[in-house]
Structures are given as C-alpha cells and as structure tokens.
mmCIF file of all heavy atoms in Angstrom:
data_model
loop_
_atom_site.group_PDB
_atom_site.id
_atom_site.type_symbol
_atom_site.label_atom_id
_atom_site.label_comp_id
_atom_site.label_asym_id
_atom_site.label_seq_id
_atom_site.Cartn_x
_atom_site.Cartn_y
_atom_site.Cartn_z
ATOM 1 N N GLN A 1 104.781 -120.201 65.004
ATOM 2 C CA GLN A 1 103.890 -120.603 66.052
ATOM 3 C C GLN A 1 104.270 -120.034 67.333
ATOM 4 O O GLN A 1 105.374 -120.347 67.841
ATOM 5 C CB GLN A 1 103.733 -122.096 66.083
ATOM 6 C CG GLN A 1 102.662 -122.599 66.974
ATOM 7 C CD GLN A 1 102.355 -124.102 66.870
ATOM 8 O OE1 GLN A 1 103.171 -124.802 66.351
ATOM 9 N NE2 GLN A 1 101.150 -124.499 67.349
ATOM 10 N N ALA A 2 103.450 -119.229 67.966
ATOM 11 C CA ALA A 2 103.720 -118.692 69.180
ATOM 12 C C ALA A 2 103.084 -119.529 70.346
ATOM 13 O O ALA A 2 102.151 -120.316 70.007
ATOM 14 C CB ALA A 2 103.108 -117.260 69.351
ATOM 15 N N PRO A 3 103.594 -119.468 71.576
ATOM 16 C CA PRO A 3 103.074 -120.302 72.623
ATOM 17 C C PRO A 3 101.547 -120.146 72.854
ATOM 18 O O PRO A 3 101.046 -119.032 72.822
ATOM 19 C CB PRO A 3 103.812 -119.785 73.894
ATOM 20 C CG PRO A 3 105.025 -119.296 73.365
ATOM 21 C CD PRO A 3 104.653 -118.647 72.024
ATOM 22 N N GLY A 4 100.814 -121.261 72.821
ATOM 23 C CA GLY A 4 99.382 -121.166 72.995
ATOM 24 C C GLY A 4 98.523 -120.810 71.810
ATOM 25 O O GLY A 4 97.360 -120.565 71.850
ATOM 26 N N LYS A 5 99.292 -120.645 70.649
ATOM 27 C CA LYS A 5 98.584 -120.175 69.396
ATOM 28 C C LYS A 5 98.773 -121.236 68.294
ATOM 29 O O LYS A 5 99.687 -122.069 68.393
ATOM 30 C CB LYS A 5 99.110 -118.815 68.992
ATOM 31 C CG LYS A 5 98.781 -117.684 69.947
ATOM 32 C CD LYS A 5 99.158 -116.323 69.368
ATOM 33 C CE LYS A 5 98.799 -115.178 70.269
ATOM 34 N NZ LYS A 5 99.098 -113.874 69.701
ATOM 35 N N GLU A 6 97.945 -121.185 67.339
ATOM 36 C CA GLU A 6 98.089 -121.978 66.160
ATOM 37 C C GLU A 6 99.190 -121.542 65.202
ATOM 38 O O GLU A 6 99.508 -120.350 65.277
ATOM 39 C CB GLU A 6 96.690 -122.103 65.416
ATOM 40 C CG GLU A 6 95.659 -122.682 66.195
ATOM 41 C CD GLU A 6 94.339 -122.869 65.343
ATOM 42 O OE1 GLU A 6 94.293 -122.373 64.174
ATOM 43 O OE2 GLU A 6 93.372 -123.511 65.842
ATOM 44 N N ARG A 7 99.655 -122.452 64.507
ATOM 45 C CA ARG A 7 100.720 -122.041 63.482
ATOM 46 C C ARG A 7 100.086 -121.209 62.453
ATOM 47 O O ARG A 7 98.996 -121.445 61.986
ATOM 48 C CB ARG A 7 101.240 -123.367 62.790
ATOM 49 C CG ARG A 7 102.396 -123.194 61.914
ATOM 50 C CD ARG A 7 103.023 -124.475 61.499
ATOM 51 N NE ARG A 7 103.513 -125.259 62.660
ATOM 52 C CZ ARG A 7 104.286 -126.338 62.434
ATOM 53 N NH1 ARG A 7 104.639 -126.772 61.265
ATOM 54 N NH2 ARG A 7 104.652 -127.008 63.497
ATOM 55 N N GLU A 8 100.810 -120.152 62.052
ATOM 56 C CA GLU A 8 100.249 -119.171 61.153
ATOM 57 C C GLU A 8 101.302 -118.918 60.013
ATOM 58 O O GLU A 8 102.460 -119.027 60.186
ATOM 59 C CB GLU A 8 99.957 -117.884 61.845
ATOM 60 C CG GLU A 8 101.159 -117.090 62.358
ATOM 61 C CD GLU A 8 100.737 -115.760 62.884
ATOM 62 O OE1 GLU A 8 99.566 -115.349 62.790
ATOM 63 O OE2 GLU A 8 101.667 -115.009 63.378
ATOM 64 N N PHE A 9 100.734 -118.613 58.878
ATOM 65 C CA PHE A 9 101.502 -118.306 57.715
ATOM 66 C C PHE A 9 102.236 -117.016 57.850
ATOM 67 O O PHE A 9 101.710 -115.966 58.377
ATOM 68 C CB PHE A 9 100.591 -118.186 56.495
ATOM 69 C CG PHE A 9 101.162 -117.711 55.207
ATOM 70 C CD1 PHE A 9 102.067 -118.422 54.516
ATOM 71 C CD2 PHE A 9 100.852 -116.360 54.869
ATOM 72 C CE1 PHE A 9 102.646 -117.890 53.323
ATOM 73 C CE2 PHE A 9 101.411 -115.840 53.723
ATOM 74 C CZ PHE A 9 102.317 -116.591 52.982
ATOM 75 N N VAL A 10 103.500 -116.950 57.350
ATOM 76 C CA VAL A 10 104.266 -115.770 57.380
ATOM 77 C C VAL A 10 104.557 -115.238 55.950
ATOM 78 O O VAL A 10 104.275 -114.056 55.609
ATOM 79 C CB VAL A 10 105.575 -115.898 58.132
ATOM 80 C CG1 VAL A 10 106.443 -114.705 58.020
ATOM 81 C CG2 VAL A 10 105.274 -116.321 59.537
ATOM 82 N N ALA A 11 105.149 -116.140 55.125
ATOM 83 C CA ALA A 11 105.606 -115.705 53.770
ATOM 84 C C ALA A 11 105.768 -116.923 52.887
ATOM 85 O O ALA A 11 106.028 -118.003 53.422
ATOM 86 C CB ALA A 11 106.882 -114.883 53.840
ATOM 87 N N ALA A 12 105.609 -116.758 51.641
ATOM 88 C CA ALA A 12 105.782 -117.847 50.667
ATOM 89 C C ALA A 12 106.433 -117.351 49.387
ATOM 90 O O ALA A 12 106.287 -116.172 49.031
ATOM 91 C CB ALA A 12 104.423 -118.561 50.358
ATOM 92 N N ILE A 13 107.084 -118.261 48.708
ATOM 93 C CA ILE A 13 107.742 -117.885 47.458
ATOM 94 C C ILE A 13 107.707 -119.070 46.501
ATOM 95 O O ILE A 13 107.804 -120.186 46.891
ATOM 96 C CB ILE A 13 109.283 -117.594 47.822
ATOM 97 C CG1 ILE A 13 109.958 -116.975 46.552
ATOM 98 C CG2 ILE A 13 110.051 -118.712 48.403
ATOM 99 C CD1 ILE A 13 111.333 -116.280 46.879
ATOM 100 N N SER A 14 107.519 -118.762 45.258
ATOM 101 C CA SER A 14 107.405 -119.780 44.217
ATOM 102 C C SER A 14 108.802 -120.353 43.910
ATOM 103 O O SER A 14 109.783 -119.820 44.382
ATOM 104 C CB SER A 14 106.805 -119.252 42.954
ATOM 105 O OG SER A 14 107.628 -118.192 42.449
ATOM 106 N N TRP A 15 108.877 -121.460 43.077
ATOM 107 C CA TRP A 15 110.191 -122.070 42.878
ATOM 108 C C TRP A 15 111.120 -121.149 42.223
ATOM 109 O O TRP A 15 112.300 -121.159 42.482
ATOM 110 C CB TRP A 15 109.914 -123.365 42.024
ATOM 111 C CG TRP A 15 109.605 -123.109 40.610
ATOM 112 C CD1 TRP A 15 108.339 -123.014 40.137
ATOM 113 C CD2 TRP A 15 110.464 -122.829 39.543
ATOM 114 N NE1 TRP A 15 108.383 -122.804 38.757
ATOM 115 C CE2 TRP A 15 109.695 -122.656 38.366
ATOM 116 C CE3 TRP A 15 111.861 -122.761 39.408
ATOM 117 C CZ2 TRP A 15 110.245 -122.397 37.154
ATOM 118 C CZ3 TRP A 15 112.422 -122.496 38.142
ATOM 119 C CH2 TRP A 15 111.591 -122.307 36.998
ATOM 120 N N SER A 16 110.666 -120.247 41.347
ATOM 121 C CA SER A 16 111.539 -119.338 40.639
ATOM 122 C C SER A 16 111.858 -118.089 41.408
ATOM 123 O O SER A 16 112.736 -117.330 41.055
ATOM 124 C CB SER A 16 110.911 -118.924 39.339
ATOM 125 O OG SER A 16 109.695 -118.107 39.600
ATOM 126 N N GLY A 17 111.084 -117.826 42.476
ATOM 127 C CA GLY A 17 111.270 -116.588 43.248
ATOM 128 C C GLY A 17 110.389 -115.514 42.570
ATOM 129 O O GLY A 17 110.369 -114.328 43.111
ATOM 130 N N GLY A 18 109.701 -115.708 41.517
ATOM 131 C CA GLY A 18 109.001 -114.707 40.806
ATOM 132 C C GLY A 18 107.619 -114.320 41.434
ATOM 133 O O GLY A 18 107.042 -113.311 41.122
ATOM 134 N N ARG A 19 107.154 -115.175 42.256
ATOM 135 C CA ARG A 19 105.900 -114.902 42.945
ATOM 136 C C ARG A 19 106.073 -115.079 44.413
ATOM 137 O O ARG A 19 106.612 -116.032 44.892
ATOM 138 C CB ARG A 19 104.789 -115.860 42.506
ATOM 139 C CG ARG A 19 104.477 -115.817 40.972
ATOM 140 C CD ARG A 19 103.293 -116.686 40.590
ATOM 141 N NE ARG A 19 102.035 -116.118 41.199
ATOM 142 C CZ ARG A 19 100.893 -116.677 41.101
ATOM 143 N NH1 ARG A 19 100.794 -117.912 40.560
ATOM 144 N NH2 ARG A 19 99.833 -116.146 41.594
ATOM 145 N N ILE A 20 105.641 -113.999 45.154
ATOM 146 C CA ILE A 20 105.868 -113.938 46.622
ATOM 147 C C ILE A 20 104.582 -113.455 47.269
ATOM 148 O O ILE A 20 103.810 -112.652 46.670
ATOM 149 C CB ILE A 20 107.056 -112.986 46.901
ATOM 150 C CG1 ILE A 20 108.371 -113.581 46.539
ATOM 151 C CG2 ILE A 20 107.058 -112.570 48.389
ATOM 152 C CD1 ILE A 20 109.547 -112.692 46.653
ATOM 153 N N HIS A 21 104.321 -113.943 48.452
ATOM 154 C CA HIS A 21 103.090 -113.504 49.201
ATOM 155 C C HIS A 21 103.476 -113.407 50.635
ATOM 156 O O HIS A 21 104.257 -114.260 51.197
ATOM 157 C CB HIS A 21 102.058 -114.590 48.990
ATOM 158 C CG HIS A 21 100.788 -114.193 49.603
ATOM 159 N ND1 HIS A 21 100.020 -113.150 49.248
ATOM 160 C CD2 HIS A 21 100.002 -114.845 50.613
ATOM 161 C CE1 HIS A 21 98.907 -113.079 49.990
ATOM 162 N NE2 HIS A 21 98.922 -114.091 50.770
ATOM 163 N N TYR A 22 102.928 -112.420 51.344
ATOM 164 C CA TYR A 22 103.199 -112.225 52.781
ATOM 165 C C TYR A 22 101.870 -112.146 53.494
ATOM 166 O O TYR A 22 100.869 -111.656 53.039
ATOM 167 C CB TYR A 22 103.891 -110.867 52.949
ATOM 168 C CG TYR A 22 105.338 -110.842 52.357
ATOM 169 C CD1 TYR A 22 105.505 -110.199 51.099
ATOM 170 C CD2 TYR A 22 106.446 -111.385 53.002
ATOM 171 C CE1 TYR A 22 106.767 -110.173 50.577
ATOM 172 C CE2 TYR A 22 107.647 -111.355 52.428
ATOM 173 C CZ TYR A 22 107.845 -110.705 51.249
ATOM 174 O OH TYR A 22 109.129 -110.676 50.679
ATOM 175 N N ALA A 23 101.913 -112.497 54.748
ATOM 176 C CA ALA A 23 100.845 -112.262 55.718
ATOM 177 C C ALA A 23 100.862 -110.700 55.960
ATOM 178 O O ALA A 23 101.864 -109.983 55.967
ATOM 179 C CB ALA A 23 101.141 -112.993 57.038
ATOM 180 N N ASP A 24 99.601 -110.197 56.200
ATOM 181 C CA ASP A 24 99.539 -108.719 56.353
ATOM 182 C C ASP A 24 100.255 -108.313 57.545
ATOM 183 O O ASP A 24 100.765 -107.173 57.547
ATOM 184 C CB ASP A 24 98.029 -108.401 56.597
ATOM 185 C CG ASP A 24 97.203 -108.504 55.301
ATOM 186 O OD1 ASP A 24 97.763 -108.453 54.195
ATOM 187 O OD2 ASP A 24 95.915 -108.576 55.431
ATOM 188 N N SER A 25 100.421 -109.060 58.592
ATOM 189 C CA SER A 25 101.138 -108.728 59.829
ATOM 190 C C SER A 25 102.572 -108.502 59.588
ATOM 191 O O SER A 25 103.240 -107.836 60.464
ATOM 192 C CB SER A 25 100.941 -109.802 60.885
ATOM 193 O OG SER A 25 101.412 -111.078 60.461
ATOM 194 N N VAL A 26 103.164 -108.997 58.503
ATOM 195 C CA VAL A 26 104.613 -108.807 58.299
ATOM 196 C C VAL A 26 104.937 -108.045 57.065
ATOM 197 O O VAL A 26 106.146 -107.796 56.748
ATOM 198 C CB VAL A 26 105.307 -110.211 58.261
ATOM 199 C CG1 VAL A 26 104.997 -111.024 59.508
ATOM 200 C CG2 VAL A 26 104.970 -110.975 57.015
ATOM 201 N N LYS A 27 103.914 -107.763 56.280
ATOM 202 C CA LYS A 27 104.117 -107.020 54.976
ATOM 203 C C LYS A 27 104.885 -105.704 55.240
ATOM 204 O O LYS A 27 104.531 -104.978 56.163
ATOM 205 C CB LYS A 27 102.839 -106.860 54.279
ATOM 206 C CG LYS A 27 102.861 -106.538 52.812
ATOM 207 C CD LYS A 27 101.457 -106.565 52.304
ATOM 208 C CE LYS A 27 100.789 -107.898 52.317
ATOM 209 N NZ LYS A 27 99.484 -107.943 51.600
ATOM 210 N N GLY A 28 105.879 -105.446 54.486
ATOM 211 C CA GLY A 28 106.687 -104.242 54.595
ATOM 212 C C GLY A 28 107.849 -104.329 55.578
ATOM 213 O O GLY A 28 108.715 -103.513 55.714
ATOM 214 N N ARG A 29 107.814 -105.402 56.354
ATOM 215 C CA ARG A 29 108.906 -105.542 57.405
ATOM 216 C C ARG A 29 109.762 -106.862 57.073
ATOM 217 O O ARG A 29 110.988 -106.873 57.413
ATOM 218 C CB ARG A 29 108.286 -105.734 58.792
ATOM 219 C CG ARG A 29 107.531 -104.541 59.249
ATOM 220 C CD ARG A 29 107.082 -104.733 60.751
ATOM 221 N NE ARG A 29 106.240 -105.805 60.961
ATOM 222 C CZ ARG A 29 106.552 -106.839 61.808
ATOM 223 N NH1 ARG A 29 107.653 -106.759 62.537
ATOM 224 N NH2 ARG A 29 105.724 -107.846 61.947
ATOM 225 N N PHE A 30 109.162 -107.899 56.569
ATOM 226 C CA PHE A 30 109.832 -109.072 56.274
ATOM 227 C C PHE A 30 110.027 -109.288 54.745
ATOM 228 O O PHE A 30 109.149 -108.850 54.014
ATOM 229 C CB PHE A 30 109.044 -110.311 56.774
ATOM 230 C CG PHE A 30 108.971 -110.448 58.243
ATOM 231 C CD1 PHE A 30 109.358 -109.483 59.130
ATOM 232 C CD2 PHE A 30 108.435 -111.660 58.811
ATOM 233 C CE1 PHE A 30 109.334 -109.595 60.492
ATOM 234 C CE2 PHE A 30 108.381 -111.793 60.257
ATOM 235 C CZ PHE A 30 108.820 -110.754 61.085
ATOM 236 N N THR A 31 111.122 -109.944 54.393
ATOM 237 C CA THR A 31 111.346 -110.195 52.966
ATOM 238 C C THR A 31 111.775 -111.700 52.817
ATOM 239 O O THR A 31 112.784 -112.108 53.476
ATOM 240 C CB THR A 31 112.438 -109.325 52.404
ATOM 241 O OG1 THR A 31 112.082 -107.920 52.561
ATOM 242 C CG2 THR A 31 112.701 -109.610 50.967
ATOM 243 N N ILE A 32 111.054 -112.411 52.023
ATOM 244 C CA ILE A 32 111.451 -113.810 51.701
ATOM 245 C C ILE A 32 112.177 -113.820 50.385
ATOM 246 O O ILE A 32 111.941 -113.072 49.441
ATOM 247 C CB ILE A 32 110.228 -114.697 51.630
ATOM 248 C CG1 ILE A 32 110.649 -116.118 51.471
ATOM 249 C CG2 ILE A 32 109.331 -114.281 50.496
ATOM 250 C CD1 ILE A 32 109.457 -117.202 51.669
ATOM 251 N N SER A 33 113.252 -114.619 50.261
ATOM 252 C CA SER A 33 114.056 -114.754 49.070
ATOM 253 C C SER A 33 114.623 -116.195 49.053
ATOM 254 O O SER A 33 114.552 -116.940 50.074
ATOM 255 C CB SER A 33 115.229 -113.687 49.079
ATOM 256 O OG SER A 33 116.105 -113.908 50.153
#
C-alpha cells in the first residue's frame, strides 16, 4: 500500500510452493518463495 492508494496484490504462493502468482507490475522482478 502506497500513500494515498489502496492496498494492492503483489504475489501469492500455495501451501506447497507449487503454485505461484504475481501481479503484472512485478512479474519478472519479484520472486515469492
């Protein structure tokens, strides 16, 4: 959440780590593990 903006999704990971999803704005730059 940036100042003056709504909270936004960045990345998510399933319990096993086998399924991952990123927001388009961070894809290729951020890695969730």
Side-chain angles (χ1 to χ4, degrees):
Q1 188 167 18
K5 295 187 177 181
E6 293 186 352
R7 189 171 298 190
E8 66 173 358
F9 168 76
V10 175
I13 188 167
S14 63
W15 71 266
S16 68
R19 300 188 68 187
I20 289 174
H21 185 61
Y22 297 100
D24 287 343
S25 59
V26 306
K27 201 172 293 184
R29 299 188 299 122
F30 290 11
T31 302
I32 188 171
S33 62

